Amino acid sequence: MLVPHTHWDREWYEPFQVFRHRLVEVLDAVLDMAEADPAFRFTLDGQTAAIEDYLAIRPRHTERVRAAVRRGQLAIGPWLILLDEFLCGGETIVRNLQLGWAGAERLGGAMDVGYLPDMFGHVAQMPQILARAGIRHAALWRGVPGRVAGHAFRWAAPDGSQVRVEYLFDGYGNGLDLLLVPDEIPRALRQYRDTTVGRWGGDPMLAMVGSDHTAPRPDLMDLVRRYDSAGMPLAVATLAEYVHGRTDDPALARVDGELRSHARANILPGVVSVRRRLKTAMAAAERVVGEAERLTVDAPLERTAPFLDLAWRKIVESSAHDSVVGSGTDETVEQVAARLAEAAQLGRAVRDAAVRDAGAAVPSDAILVVNPLTAPRTIVVETEVAAAAGAALEAVLPDGRRLPVQEGERAPVLLADEEWDAADVERVLRRIHRRELFGRQIDRYEIVPGRLTFRVAEVPATERFDLLGLRDEMRRAVAAHQGPWRVVTLAEPRATVLTGVPVGASGSVAVRIVSAAGPRAGSDLRATASAATNGLVSVAVRADGTLDIEGRDGTVLRGVGRLVDGGDRGDSYNYAPPAFDRVVDAPAAVETRLLESGPVRAAIAVDRWYELPASLGDDPDRRSTEVRRMPVRMRVELRAGEPFVRLSLALVNVVSDHRLRLHVPLPRPAARSAAEGQFAVTERGLTNEGGWGEFPLPTYPADGFVSAGDATVLLGGGATEYELVADGTELALTLLRSVGAISVNVHPLRDEPAAAEIPIPGGQELGRDIEIELGVLPAAGGWHACDAVRWAEHFRSPGLWRRGAAPAGGELPPARSGLAVTGRGVAVAALRRAPAGIELRLVAMTPEPTVATVTGAPTVATTVDLLGRPLERHPAGPAWEIPLRPWEIRTLHLA
């Protein structure tokens, strides 16, 4: 059975608009062929974006498309975009499916097959995501283990959900070459059938007739009719028609969890670590837009949905497997980065407006602190306040509780001291916009002969300021004094302060910084230039700049933070070390200094300088003899109440063709690692299955955290590559991979090119600021015992705060809390306003059954599938206890 199709990379070695021009030509031909021959079929790559991109140029063809879909000749959806499943969050995968399904339904109906033809491996929870959208079939190529001998298997998610998979074992273009020479088609078909007969059994052979950016050949249907015979029957179908014609055989092999085997296809794992800024931008956009949804759950949809829907679309579009991976041209990468930045900007605008509105009732000399998470926690607030030199400060909550305050740097009082000729003094007043001057508000001014003094403040104490009156006064003063004028601008004394503010679930609280009424409360935070502790975790800096970290249970990790730099002669798809590599793993110089010592936060600066080879040499198997010095700055931070050490690393990349990793030595060898991402925590071993044309490097992606043995590392920047090295004694995280080509023709760890050998100078990341946020949590028992799911969410979401807008000095409004979710291992993937009410998506991130308790919500709850279709109504009440299977994804509509 022939399935005509195209695989449409929306952007890759050409940018989106160039590929769209080609797409319009292809789909013009597809519609003409469909209307000319009722037997013609075409599968449009499983992604609705392709047809929407086409109709944006050819809107007059909308009814032609809709008619072809309804006749069963054109299969579209169910995805919006064919994504890279490991380089975005699980919620982005869900929104991708929702957007694609809805778009396809508007055009006649979605293909109910989870088509995943070219992804570089598949996440463990994909079968559950498909099943919870009512999709029972998938079709895919890469990552399937070698033990699958047929053309289909059963794929199970960690919760037990299953889908039948049509295994495209020879790729998504296995039928294209069979039709290459028309006169040889019968022989080509017989040879292919004979060589693959063991896989098909009694089922008809599936030939996918299409590949990257290909159009159907105009004579396809003529060839089918010419060579159709009893001995080799030929028919044309959509992919859905083929898979729905297969029986659901219970004897099919079962495969559990993620698919990342190299047995029959390359999975190109190097894409996880190349162009890391795209992965960081993806995670940032997902977080900001998610926060905006949570904070506007009570707002009318018409106020927020146009912005947030657009933001999610941009995120999903950027998740395409040749977009966020960074394996495109520099031009394409910049467009992806811009799209993700726009998504974050849309989310930030909605989020910040919600916080601004909430702060309207808070006095302007107080701060509103907002917790977007559905569990109570302490948020460390850093802000500037008016403070006289030497004054002790504390924070006051609405209920009268007093919190310790840590004072940081003081802002300069003198902002400007200038001399002007009398004739030009009027120009000074042009700087004033209503009441604003130098970013502050004018509190008062003083005029004496030859001197004008402004006193500005963040929150002025005087109620009104008369700019017109000031202009009149200055005209008279200048007329009386024609000599030079001194203009001085003074700010009120201000200090940067920190305080840890307890905030309820989905809640907010106002806090005011005041002069301390008594002695400061004690703190467990202690710090010097070489060591710090908060009573839960301790850290000591070694002479080489690495760290010894001890957890509250006595677990000690020694030498954390060692940086290892080696050469990389690979490309955007695959890492490759030079045969005669020169590895640098020790700094040339180290400096440490104390930055903060509590009582809220302690911090130590560890600065290291490395002498690195500038690039590869003329021989790509050797690094250059030229050496460049690269400083790496690491901030080591402890906060009160947190059981982990925060690490903030910053560097400017100055060398090419290299890979830089941070190592976390383990107290004892670990045979397995566990990584959070896409609604699961996936366990992996020290090796991976090979068998095809790619060396099976055991490098893997992690999103929220990675854990091995007694070390758990929280990840603040999205998808991160890691590997258990040195026989499982060290966890290595890739901070930077610097390469110069999309693909290289000759690669020591890959038999065939992954794409054309196109230079990507931007892939070297030269001169680019690299910033990495990590949290190191030492604890015996692994990720589940140390509650890593909760701490990872806390680490990724710092909380929000804003100065109030009501008149200063007023009473603080009472603290408020909103929807709360509790339960061991229960994570909240989404909380938003939907047309049917509040949508809440829960995930049981635990290998054991658990119960999610939901409070503070409306009184009616309905379990729905991922497309919003009702499944089960729950009894009304002020709270719900929702039993969850291990790893179950549950979506509720609350009304």
Side-chain angles (χ1 to χ4, degrees):
M1 190 169 288
L2 307 182
V3 174
H5 76 101
T6 189
H7 174 53
W8 205 268
D9 300 296
R10 200 165 181 256
E11 54 196 355
W12 180 18
Y13 57 85
E14 293 283 10
F16 163 60
Q17 297 296 354
V18 173
F19 275 145
R20 174 152 70 174
H21 187 272
R22 300 181 193 176
L23 174 70
V24 170
E25 294 177 342
V26 169
L27 294 185
D28 279 346
V30 166
L31 290 178
D32 289 345
M33 291 177 71
E35 291 166 350
D37 192 332
F40 176 74
R41 301 287 188 272
F42 195 79
T43 298
L44 190 49
D45 207 29
Q47 49 180 340
T48 308
I51 199 67
E52 293 179 346
D53 292 342
Y54 171 74
L55 292 176
I57 302 298
R58 297 272 197 266
R60 65 184 183 278
H61 290 175
T62 300
E63 288 307 317
R64 294 181 70 197
V65 168
R66 189 173 285 123
V69 172
R70 288 174 175 168
R71 290 194 305 266
Q73 290 186 276
L74 179 63
I76 60 175
W79 304 103
L80 180 67
I81 284 289
L82 290 183
L83 70 162
D84 189 291
E85 300 168 31
F86 291 96
L87 300 184
C88 63
E91 186 61 22
T92 296
I93 299 176
V94 171
R95 302 301 176 95
N96 188 345
L97 187 55
Q98 291 174 339
L99 287 168
W101 190 276
E105 287 294 304
R106 288 191 294 269
L107 291 171
M111 178 175 73
D112 59 347
V113 177
Y115 187 50
L116 306 163
D118 197 27
M119 287 70 166
F120 307 148
H122 304 278
V123 297
Q125 287 281 38
M126 183 58 76
Q128 184 179 181
I129 291 171
L130 294 174
R132 289 190 176 274
I135 297 173
R136 299 183 297 107
H137 294 269
L140 53 84
W141 171 34
R142 303 183 193 265
V144 178
R147 64 182 177 83
V148 174
H151 72 98
F153 62 92
R154 303 230 36 104
W155 185 19
D159 78 316
S161 301
Q162 296 185 28
V163 294
R164 179 192 178 277
V165 175
E166 184 63 36
Y167 178 25
L168 308 176
F169 57 89
D170 273 342
Y172 52 82
N174 70 316
L176 195 61
D177 289 348
L178 302 181
L179 308 182
L180 192 60
V181 181
D183 291 342
E184 296 295 328
I185 288 175
R187 181 179 62 83
L189 289 172
R190 283 194 301 271
Q191 286 184 347
Y192 187 71
R193 180 187 61 186
D194 292 345
T195 57
T196 61
V197 65
R199 287 191 175 270
W200 301 110
D203 291 334
M205 182 176 70
L206 171 63
M208 300 290 291
V209 184
S211 190
D212 297 357
H213 305 117
T214 57
R217 54 185 303 161
D219 60 349
L220 174 65
M221 299 309 296
D222 293 336
L223 293 173
V224 169
R225 292 187 177 95
R226 176 180 173 187
Y227 292 114
D228 179 28
S229 67
M232 180 64 72
L234 287 184
V236 171
T238 64
L239 182 62
E241 287 174 328
Y242 178 84
V243 300
H244 286 308
R246 311 283 68 78
T247 58
D248 195 3
D249 184 357
L252 288 176
R254 170 171 164 160
V255 179
D256 290 277
E258 74 172 3
L259 305 178
R260 287 191 67 84
S261 168
H262 305 250
R264 282 197 61 85
N266 295 340
I267 64 168
L268 312 172
V271 298
V272 177
S273 53
V274 75
R275 308 224 210 220
R276 183 184 172 96
R277 64 190 176 105
L278 292 184
K279 287 71 170 176
T280 301
M282 172 65 71
E286 291 172 327
R287 177 180 62 81
V288 171
V289 175
E291 288 177 344
E293 288 187 331
R294 292 176 184 227
L295 296 184
T296 57
V297 74
D298 295 323
L301 270 178
E302 61 269 18
R303 180 179 174 187
T304 61
F307 301 100
L308 297 179
D309 290 350
L310 179 58
W312 272 115
R313 186 175 182 94
K314 289 180 178 293
I315 289 172
V316 170
E317 288 176 344
S318 301
S319 72
H321 72 284
D322 282 312
S323 298
V324 70
V325 297
S327 58
T329 61
D330 291 348
E331 186 179 19
T332 294
V333 166
E334 292 309 315
Q335 290 181 343
V336 176
R339 191 184 304 124
L340 286 169
E342 286 186 3
Q345 292 156 8
L346 286 160
R348 189 177 77 225
V350 173
R351 181 196 67 182
D352 291 356
V355 176
R356 178 202 63 206
D357 293 347
V362 175
S364 59
D365 60 344
I367 305 294
L368 178 71
V369 186
V370 178
N371 176 21
L373 304 185
T374 55
R377 62 181 179 139
T378 296
I379 293 173
V380 173
V381 174
E382 183 170 1
T383 188
E384 269 195 4
V385 298
L393 302 173
E394 63 183 5
V396 179
L397 296 174
D399 60 8
R401 281 181 293 165
R402 296 178 178 271
L403 308 173
V405 167
Q406 176 176 323
E407 186 175 324
E409 296 182 355
R410 287 191 166 268
V413 172
L414 179 64
L415 301 184
D417 188 349
E418 308 163 278
E419 186 170 295
W420 290 79
D421 292 336
D424 295 328
V425 173
E426 172 67 20
R427 291 164 53 190
V428 173
L429 305 187
R430 298 177 194 169
R431 298 172 175 170
I432 302 171
H433 304 280
R434 289 174 294 193
R435 194 170 188 167
E436 181 269 329
L437 176 61
F438 296 154
R440 294 172 172 82
Q441 302 293 305
I442 296 174
D443 186 32
R444 60 190 186 277
Y445 59 86
E446 300 160 0
I447 301 173
V448 297
R451 180 182 175 111
L452 169 61
T453 302
F454 291 106
R455 298 190 181 272
V456 297
E458 193 77 23
V459 180
T462 53
E463 290 188 9
R464 60 188 298 271
F465 168 74
D466 184 358
L467 180 57
L468 293 177
L470 169 61
R471 292 183 186 278
D472 289 341
E473 288 185 58
M474 281 303 298
R475 289 192 191 99
R476 293 193 296 270
V478 168
H481 181 84
Q482 290 294 317
W485 275 79
R486 187 179 178 191
V487 181
V488 178
T489 305
L490 299 173
E492 63 182 340
R494 299 188 67 77
T496 299
V497 297
L498 297 93
T499 186
V501 181
V503 192
S506 305
S508 62
V509 65
V511 60
R512 179 179 276 135
I513 309 299
V514 299
S515 297
R520 174 182 289 177
S523 170
D524 291 328
L525 271 171
R526 303 281 187 276
T528 67
S530 60
T533 182
N534 65 0
L536 298 176
V537 63
S538 300
V539 60
V541 184
R542 292 183 167 195
D544 63 356
T546 64
L547 312 173
D548 291 345
I549 301 175
E550 182 174 357
R552 55 183 164 184
D553 64 357
T555 298
V556 179
L557 307 177
R558 302 190 185 280
V560 172
R562 182 167 63 96
L563 298 181
V564 179
D565 187 86
D568 190 343
R569 59 161 298 181
D571 52 35
S572 69
Y573 292 105
N574 295 83
Y575 160 76
F580 307 99
D581 200 0
R582 182 148 53 98
V583 175
V584 178
D585 63 358
V590 179
E591 290 182 4
T592 67
R593 63 188 185 280
L594 179 65
L595 298 176
E596 299 172 340
S597 57
V600 177
R601 188 173 71 190
I604 301 169
V606 180
D607 297 338
R608 292 174 280 183
W609 287 263
Y610 291 83
E611 305 285 352
L612 303 180
S615 63
L616 292 177
D618 294 335
D619 176 358
D621 272 325
R622 299 180 187 275
R623 300 182 80 179
S624 167
T625 56
E626 179 188 352
V627 171
R628 295 177 184 167
R629 173 166 278 210
M630 186 173 78
V632 179
R633 309 195 183 282
M634 182 169 70
R635 176 185 170 96
V636 182
E637 182 181 310
L638 298 181
R639 296 184 180 184
E642 292 182 347
F644 56 88
V645 177
R646 294 173 178 259
L647 304 181
S648 301
L649 292 101
L651 61 98
V652 176
N653 184 45
V654 298
V655 301
S656 304
D657 310 310
H658 70 123
R659 180 180 70 175
L660 178 66
R661 286 170 141 187
L662 180 143
H663 284 234
V664 179
L666 307 178
R668 61 192 65 82
R672 301 188 68 77
S673 63
E676 189 276 343
Q678 298 81 39
F679 301 150
V681 178
T682 303
E683 288 197 0
R684 292 141 176 167
L686 296 175
T687 59
N688 203 350
E689 182 182 30
W692 196 242
E694 176 181 61
F695 186 82
L697 283 175
T699 57
Y700 297 102
D703 193 53
F705 65 80
V706 58
S707 183
D710 296 341
T712 296
V713 181
L714 312 178
L715 306 172
T720 299
E721 178 188 88
Y722 77 91
E723 181 181 3
L724 267 177
V725 298
D727 296 323
T729 61
E730 295 194 11
L731 182 63
L733 291 88
T734 304
L735 307 184
L736 168 67
R737 203 161 70 82
S738 172
V739 297
I742 290 180
S743 174
V744 294
N745 291 335
V746 179
H747 192 293
L749 301 185
R750 191 184 65 227
D751 289 351
E752 58 182 313
E757 191 170 85
I758 298 173
I760 48 169
Q764 297 286 10
E765 307 284 20
L766 286 171
R768 188 170 299 282
D769 292 325
I770 308 295
E771 297 180 352
I772 311 291
E773 300 289 333
L774 305 171
V776 181
L777 200 168
W783 66 272
H784 194 49
C786 71
D787 208 5
V789 171
R790 177 172 74 93
W791 286 117
E793 183 179 46
H794 170 81
F795 182 67
R796 287 192 299 259
S797 180
L800 305 163
W801 54 90
R802 182 188 178 96
R803 185 172 299 280
E811 184 177 350
L812 297 180
R816 60 167 295 274
S817 293
L819 187 142
V821 177
T822 58
R824 176 72 173 175
V826 177
V828 174
L831 174 60
R832 62 166 178 160
R833 170 65 60 179
I838 296 174
E839 183 171 277
L840 172 66
R841 192 155 15 261
L842 307 173
V843 185
M845 297 285 287
T846 169
E848 303 163 355
T850 189
V851 175
T853 301
V854 181
T855 58
T859 58
V860 178
T862 304
T863 292
V864 300
D865 73 4
L866 288 180
L867 300 179
R869 297 172 294 210
L871 299 174
E872 177 188 0
R873 189 178 177 91
H874 301 279
W880 296 278
E881 291 189 348
I882 310 292
L884 298 173
R885 300 190 312 275
W887 310 111
E888 180 182 352
I889 302 167
R890 177 75 69 95
T891 304
L892 298 170
H893 279 176
L894 311 176

